[in-house]
Amino acid sequence: MLTKDLFATRMSRMKASEIRELLKLLDQPGIISFAGGIPDPALFPTEAFADAFQNALGTEKQAQALQYSVSEGYAPLREWLADHMRHIGIECGLDNILITSGSQQALDYLGKLYLSPGDTALVGWPTYLGALAAFNAYEPRFDKLSINGNRGAAEYAAAAGESLVKFAYLSPDFANPTGETVDLRGREALLDLAEDLNCAVIEDGAYQALRYEGEPIPPVLALELARKGSIEDCRTIYCGSFSKTLSPGLRVGWVVAAKQVISQLVLMKQAADLHSATINQMAINDVARACFDTHIPMLRRVYGARRDAMLDALVEHMPKGVEWTKPEGGMFVWVTLPKGIVGSDLLARALDTVKVAFVPGQAFFPDGSGANTIRLSFSNSDEATIQEGVRRLGEVLRA
Ligand SMILES: Cc1ncc(COP(=O)(O)O)c(C=O)c1O
């Protein structure tokens, strides 16, 4: 029998994701789930995708659609993306864009590119679980990135000791799991910090397009470009995704960065999976061109109303001592429970007694703190269900 001691040391740090385990619960009848941070399938642009796949397979494009293609990604999609990035303040060429199999793959590659065992990655406390999982495989040490906090470069360097700080990772718009946004000052301060530490910035823009109120804040990469004039001089690496806007199942994401970074990531892609599925990239390209500009306002309206329903229901049903964030976009509200209430215990009880699911917050903290936090997602339930689910949660909390 093959024994576990043959596994590489990196495997000791990799554990099953609580979220993945929880997603299995979605199939149980009667469960109200605020667990997965997933888009509502009823909102997928299904007809546009049907046309796009028909177009890819029913025309002279089929040979290309089913064939191997270049690692950098389908050129027409990269052209659309260059245009899209320009609209959000990032001027770049096709050579600055790599298509990945979801932005999750980009996070894995960036961990692989920057982290040797023992190197330091600065991450939010809490931070996106999938980023922690991706980076963990490269055996880093994590330190707490405190944006707008009072930790300067000297403190980070002192805490790192012999270890090199390689990058700061953040999701500046409507972060997973907190829903919080980093303001302009925080973004500028982060760039200053990265200059002082001479490290990269990994900007995760997974929810960037999903703003329901307030004015958009320029991406960190746009701010750095304004400082430096050329993307080739920038240390920020932008990761984008179609998962939250068009479809997560097709697994299409992208990275925008200086050519010297992209060329290294291309080498990784060649070694890992050669390229992302050609036909999926073609379909995303068609659908993005056909309806991205009308689809996003619709998503903002629907998800915005769900966010409002969740915030209203929390005001109505949460007992005293419970606090939560008020996200301007994205899919999540982050709830802090009174000290002593443990999120995972509450989940067990909520599932058992009132059939409500959510994600306990502890898994999002690299040091296992945050036991009294939970993440609620409002994206995949209608307003009445949200109202009812939060009412039931309030009932359990009061009990
Ligand atoms: C902040 C963040 N980044 C990246 C991802 C990965 O998305 P995908 O690989 O589907 O693009 C997710 C998915 O939930 C996310 O929440």
Side-chain angles (χ1 to χ4, degrees), residues 198-282:
N198 187 28
C199 70
V201 173
I202 300 177
E203 176 172 30
D204 185 333
Y207 299 92
Q208 194 273 340
L210 298 179
R211 176 177 278 281
Y212 316 133
E213 71 172 73
E215 286 304 306
I217 304 171
V220 178
L221 178 53
L223 295 172
E224 192 180 10
L225 255 167
R227 288 183 181 194
K228 298 191 172 158
S230 162
I231 193 165
E232 304 311 331
D233 297 327
C234 289
R235 55 178 72 244
T236 304
I237 300 162
Y238 183 97
C239 304
S241 175
F242 288 105
S243 291
K244 314 297 175 180
T245 51
L246 297 184
S247 158
L250 296 186
R251 311 304 303 132
V252 182
W254 69 94
V255 185
V256 176
K259 275 182 222 150
Q260 57 143 341
V261 173
I262 295 295
S263 61
Q264 296 300 302
L265 297 177
V266 168
L267 293 180
M268 281 175 196
K269 190 137 182 84
Q270 281 164 358
D273 65 352
L274 299 180
H275 61 80
S276 296
T278 318
I279 192 167
N280 292 0
Q281 297 184 63
M282 293 170 85

Side-chain angles (χ1 to χ4, degrees), residues 56-73:
L57 288 177
T59 66
E60 75 290 347
K61 286 189 179 167
Q62 59 181 277
Q64 187 183 8
L66 299 176
Q67 190 54 281
Y68 282 120
S69 59
V70 295
S71 301
E72 287 82 351

Side-chain angles (χ1 to χ4, degrees), residues 314-370:
L314 285 165
V315 171
E316 192 179 341
H317 297 295
M318 283 299 116
K320 253 183 122 154
V322 177
E323 291 172 4
W324 55 91
T325 55
K326 295 168 187 69
E328 293 182 332
M331 297 184 169
F332 308 106
V333 175
W334 181 248
V335 179
T336 305
L337 306 165
K339 282 252 159 359
I341 300 189
V342 175
S344 49
D345 293 348
L346 182 70
L347 174 63
R349 184 178 300 205
L351 280 171
D352 191 38
T353 58
V354 292
K355 294 197 166 221
V356 174
F358 52 82
V359 180
Q362 206 164 8
F364 298 95
F365 290 81
D367 64 350
S369 57

Side-chain angles (χ1 to χ4, degrees), residues 13-26:
R13 301 170 57 131
M14 301 183 74
K15 43 187 190 312
S17 147
E18 238 168 295
I19 297 184
R20 292 273 159 264
E21 291 302 308
L22 273 167
L23 281 176
K24 293 177 191 159
L25 296 171
L26 297 182

Side-chain angles (χ1 to χ4, degrees), residues 37 102-104 107 128 169 171 176 204 206-207 241 243-244 251:
S103 56
Q104 189 64 33
L107 298 177
Y128 167 50
Y169 164 81
S171 189
N176 181 0
D204 185 333
Y207 299 92
S241 175
S243 291
K244 314 297 175 180
R251 311 304 303 132

